[in-house]
Amino acid sequence: MKRASDGTRSRMSLSAFPALKNDCMLRAARGEATEWIPVWMMRQAGRYLPEYQEVRKDADFFTMCRTPELACKVSLQPLERFPTLDAVIIFSDILVIPQAMGMEVLMVKGKGPVFPDPLKVPEDIQKLTLKPDIESTLGYVFDAVNLTRERIAGRVPLIGFSGAPFTLMAYMIEGGGSRTLSKAKTWLFKHPEATHKLLQALTDIIVEYLVGKVKAGAQMLQVFESNGGDLTPDHFTEFSLPYLSQIASRVKAAVDVPMTVFARGANQEGALEALASTEYNTISVDWRIEPSDARKRAGNKTLQGNLDPGALYAAPETLRKLVAKMVKGFGTQRYIANLGHGMHPSHDPEMAGNFIDAVHACTN
Ligand code: 1CP
């Protein structure tokens, strides 16, 4: 790998990459016809893979994110193991953005992400870098994207991603994962002005970050609003939707790329319908909605999802039947098969392979 004198990688330009051989997923996202159903899994690069654990045992999680060679290596692991996968997602985390804003985030074994000094009161926003220099704070992600696109060598498209503003804000206030979101909800109910200020600052960063990923080599983007389902319909409309929508419009004004929104659990009255009126190409849904119902509510958008990750604990024959039922509900066109959320650390990799095969066995 070439390195510039300041230690950063000199990136390959987009025109230098080999032509894409399997563009099935990009076509599905754009609403074009596909000969088979494209499939990938959220969290496909991660703890259920022994080869991931092997790399992870010698490296801290965020060191892996910050080291392009390591991030590239684990991003490619699912494709090496399952060559019929239709996409690779770059290995990183949504919490690199709060880090770029100056917050400390640790990955604690058995617990997940922890912020030692979360935001407590609206005045704490002053302590953040609201307009960080994206290249100097997150350029390592662009380096990882660029290297991974090079090493995929045109086999499948590379997906870049970001957390959505409300989900990132919730982590920054809760200081980690939370069941009730009591602290973040206190802000929504008590400090709506400060909340909007923070959400807008996050939106501005996310837009520049996602555009940067595309310029570095990402061929598709996904925005994760993992806490979207925790909001009331009114709060979803006020604190999530406008920012999600802004992200799609502004990124698309800058770069031509298919975009997916995953507002986990956001099946509230009107939420899917509203997402269908944004500029995202694809709406990713979780397992709490019937595929046929999602079709009725999501207009002519491409849909992604939504097998219960728990189904990967079933017998292989049962898994095949569940996949066939899911495909019957979504149909084979304008559809990207995925789980309703990510792979679990306790999943058997063999069942991930069975899931991919079961999807590809469903034909038009
Ligand atoms: O200890 C370890 O090895 C860390 C495990 C791990 C991994 C592999 C974490 C910690 N993050 C990741 C990678 C990751 N995170 C990816 C890229 C890989 C892929 O998808 O194949 C992506 C897209 C994420 C996104 C992410 N991180 C989300 C949004 C998606 C979702 O799951 O809702 C969220 C909420 C996080 C926060 C996070 N990071 C890690 C943990 C344990 C958590 C808490 C949430 C959780 O457990 O799901």
Side-chain angles (χ1 to χ4, degrees):
M1 189 170 73
K2 290 181 269 357
R3 289 210 161 260
S5 53
D6 64 355
T8 56
R9 183 175 180 269
S10 61
R11 293 181 200 136
M12 244 167 99
S13 72
L14 295 188
S15 57
F17 291 121
L20 184 58
K21 292 183 209 106
N22 173 1
D23 67 347
C24 185
M25 181 135 6
L26 300 184
R27 280 188 281 123
R30 291 196 204 99
E32 296 163 16
T34 59
E35 309 78 51
W36 69 88
I37 300 169
V39 57
W40 69 287
M41 287 94 62
M42 288 187 266
R43 295 291 179 94
Q44 65 186 24
R47 290 166 289 177
Y48 74 104
L49 289 176
E51 56 271 38
Y52 170 86
Q53 300 286 9
E54 192 55 35
V55 180
R56 176 77 166 93
K57 77 178 181 2
D58 298 324
D60 164 75
F61 177 76
F62 285 111
T63 305
M64 282 170 64
C65 294
R66 287 173 178 275
T67 312
E69 280 289 345
L70 292 180
C72 172
K73 186 172 182 170
V74 296
S75 301
L76 290 176
Q77 283 174 344
L79 185 65
E80 309 292 352
R81 189 186 264 261
F82 311 114
T84 56
L85 263 177
D86 290 290
V88 164
I89 182 163
I90 188 68
F91 174 83
S92 182
D93 198 79
I94 61 167
L95 302 175
V96 298
I97 288 185
Q99 287 178 331
M101 298 171 86
M103 294 186 85
E104 189 186 355
V105 189
L106 309 169
M107 200 54 77
V108 178
K109 208 174 166 57
K111 202 166 168 204
V114 172
F115 291 65
D117 190 13
L119 304 179
K120 293 193 184 70
V121 289
E123 294 70 48
D124 289 344
I125 295 179
Q126 316 305 331
K127 294 194 233 161
L128 298 173
T129 311
L130 294 181
K131 292 185 195 309
D133 182 279
I134 301 297
E135 181 59 48
S136 64
T137 54
L138 291 163
Y140 66 89
V141 183
F142 303 153
D143 288 339
V145 165
N146 194 260
L147 180 64
T148 305
R149 170 86 181 262
E150 185 184 335
R151 299 251 171 96
I152 292 176
R155 280 173 284 178
V156 291
L158 175 60
I159 305 170
F161 69 90
S162 172
F166 174 67
T167 295
L168 292 179
M169 176 189 141
Y171 272 94
M172 291 158 77
I173 294 172
E174 296 291 338
S178 159
R179 269 204 169 270
T180 55
L181 294 186
S182 17
K183 298 181 185 116
K185 291 228 169 181
T186 303
W187 279 53
L188 303 189
F189 284 103
K190 255 190 168 164
H191 314 302
E193 261 179 48
T195 297
H196 280 297
K197 184 178 175 201
L198 182 55
L199 292 172
Q200 187 58 55
L202 283 162
T203 300
D204 295 344
I205 295 170
I206 292 164
V207 167
E208 194 178 337
Y209 178 54
L210 289 175
V211 170
K213 279 193 174 176
V214 173
K215 290 186 171 163
Q219 291 147 295
M220 222 177 149
L221 295 172
Q222 178 157 323
V223 179
F224 288 89
E225 185 72 290
S226 302
N227 291 325
D230 298 319
L231 296 171
T232 63
D234 282 350
H235 274 175
F236 182 78
T237 305
E238 179 174 357
F239 296 111
S240 175
L241 185 67
Y243 299 101
L244 287 173
S245 174
Q246 211 189 113
I247 290 167
S249 314
R250 289 172 60 190
V251 170
K252 278 173 173 277
V255 285
D256 178 20
V257 65
M259 292 181 74
T260 302
V261 59
F262 175 51
R264 176 171 175 254
N267 308 325
Q268 299 97 327
E269 182 73 30
L272 271 186
E273 293 80 353
L275 289 172
S277 69
T278 63
E279 291 188 40
Y280 290 94
N281 303 76
T282 303
I283 302 176
S284 194
V285 290
D286 75 10
W287 65 91
R288 285 166 282 200
I289 186 165
E290 278 298 331
S292 55
D293 187 26
R295 272 284 176 228
K296 275 187 224 125
R297 294 175 57 190
N300 61 2
K301 295 287 186 196
T302 294
L303 288 172
Q304 173 174 278
N306 77 341
L307 196 74
D308 180 351
L312 267 60
Y313 300 116
E317 187 46 37
T318 309
L319 175 67
R320 271 194 290 280
K321 285 188 188 139
L322 292 169
V323 168
K325 177 170 183 275
M326 169 177 80
V327 170
K328 197 155 180 267
F330 281 114
T332 62
Q333 300 297 305
R334 279 187 293 126
Y335 175 50
I336 297 170
N338 204 313
L339 304 175
H341 196 194
M343 293 291 297
H344 299 169
S346 59
H347 277 146
D348 180 347
E350 204 176 311
M351 289 302 281
N354 290 341
F355 170 66
I356 297 164
D357 291 344
V359 170
H360 284 154
C362 299
T363 46
N364 289 326

